[in-house]
Amino acid sequence: MTATRVLVLNSGSSSVKYQLLDMGDGSRLAAGLVERIGERTSRLKHSPLAAGGDERETTGPIADHEAALKAVAQELAEDGLGLDSPELAAIGHRVVHGGKRFTRPTVVDDAVLAEIERLIPVAPLHNPANLTGIRTAQELRPDLPQVAVFDTAFHTTMPEAAARYAIDVETADKHRVRRYGFHGTSHAYVSREAARLLGRDPGDVNLIVLHLGNGASASAVEGGRCVDTSMGLTPLEGLVMGTRSGDVDPAVIFHLARVGGMSTDEIDTLLNKRSGLVGLCGDNDMREIRRRIDEGGEDAARARLAFDIYIHRLRKYIGAYYAVLGRVDAVVFTAGVGENSAPVREAAVAGLEGLGLAVDDGLNAARSGGPRLISPPDARVAVAVVPTDEELEIANQTYALVRDGGA
Ligand code: ADP
């Protein structure tokens, strides 16, 4: 029997998201999420997609990632999809930071684990959880290839001119301070799917990809290779996000420390958790912000300001990446906001006819789950909505590696 199943694990600091896919026919067999690991009120939600039936939800204490993965394995076993199955080909792990070294998905061995660990100082929130996920999966199935798929990998093609900050080179290199970029799995998947939608070879098209979720990033993709992206050393730089500020003058930090008396940790929390849309208007959900604007009244003003700042930054990046690329074939929207918010898409390109950009109101307003064009048929530059699927991309990359004998 050929092993064609891939389990995808996305281990966060207090959560694990998972999907089991069959790469033989591309079907999704099961999916779920463990939340609030380490608390008394941990929750496991499991969707038995192939086995059928309702979503199962269990609450109760789940002490750590090991217990969480064991609980997931048990749920899968209940559906007849246990991790001991010979049909399981590999486990694919999302790893947030791969530094400069990991330019592609990699089968995990001790040296790879050590390198992911060495990168903890530049990804203190993410890499430790990713490592725990990998180690626990290794314990559960020591014989199985574990594949690390890095959020940074797609961006390792950035030229030095885009990847370096203009700070003292020795200091930067000593502390590995450079622009790495994130959401790479999504940018890779979406740019390939966008080329397919345009009926063109990925190597022939130049794209501006806008991944607008709770976290948000833009990238400039030239012939399938990333040449610039808006996130940097960490996922804080760039666009206005749900709770993150995106770009600020770095001197804001010195000012808050010296004049505001805030500690480094307090400023870190401010910029990562209490800024962006939530800091500007109290809501980080674009649906809620649009509702407040549409209902008008006093409550609308702050929501409107948050929306305007979000859009202003987005338009600056579209303009910047237009200049980086020189020629643009399509602007592509993806992730929660990008796929669902017609007002964001409309405002992002409004008045940019001079750059060949426009949306057709009817096409923009239409709802659809699949990739689609929303620009008028005669537009010089296409505007597209392409739903992202990071789990599928991780599964594809994992399976391609183990099938081709990389393991
Ligand atoms: P992440 O993976 O970064 O957590 P998602 O890509 O799932 O985020 O995006 C989540 C965000 O998408 C929500 O916070 C919300 O702002 C936005 N969103 C989801 N659905 C809609 C919708 N129908 N209209 C507008 N925004 C939406």
Side-chain angles (χ1 to χ4, degrees), residues 17 211-215 284-287 335-337 340-341 367:
K17 288 187 202 146
H211 176 112
L212 310 176
N214 212 358
N284 64 342
D285 192 313
M286 190 52 80
R287 281 165 290 202
V337 177
N340 295 299
S341 180
R367 299 195 68 83

Side-chain angles (χ1 to χ4, degrees), residues 31-102:
L33 163 72
V34 189
E35 291 173 296
R36 299 202 287 269
I37 296 171
E39 293 178 34
R40 298 182 63 78
T41 55
S42 315
R43 181 165 60 181
L44 193 163
K45 280 197 226 168
H46 177 83
S47 299
L49 304 171
D54 292 337
E55 183 181 86
R56 300 196 290 270
E57 191 172 316
T58 337
T59 41
I62 296 181
D64 51 26
H65 281 73
E66 188 176 343
L69 269 194
K70 285 186 176 153
V72 169
Q74 208 172 334
E75 290 291 340
L76 290 168
E78 260 184 55
D79 297 344
L81 300 166
L83 292 194
D84 52 356
S85 163
E87 288 178 74
L88 193 58
I91 301 183
H93 299 264
R94 174 183 182 218
V95 178
V96 167
H97 217 307
K100 270 172 83 172
R101 165 138 160 230
F102 293 114

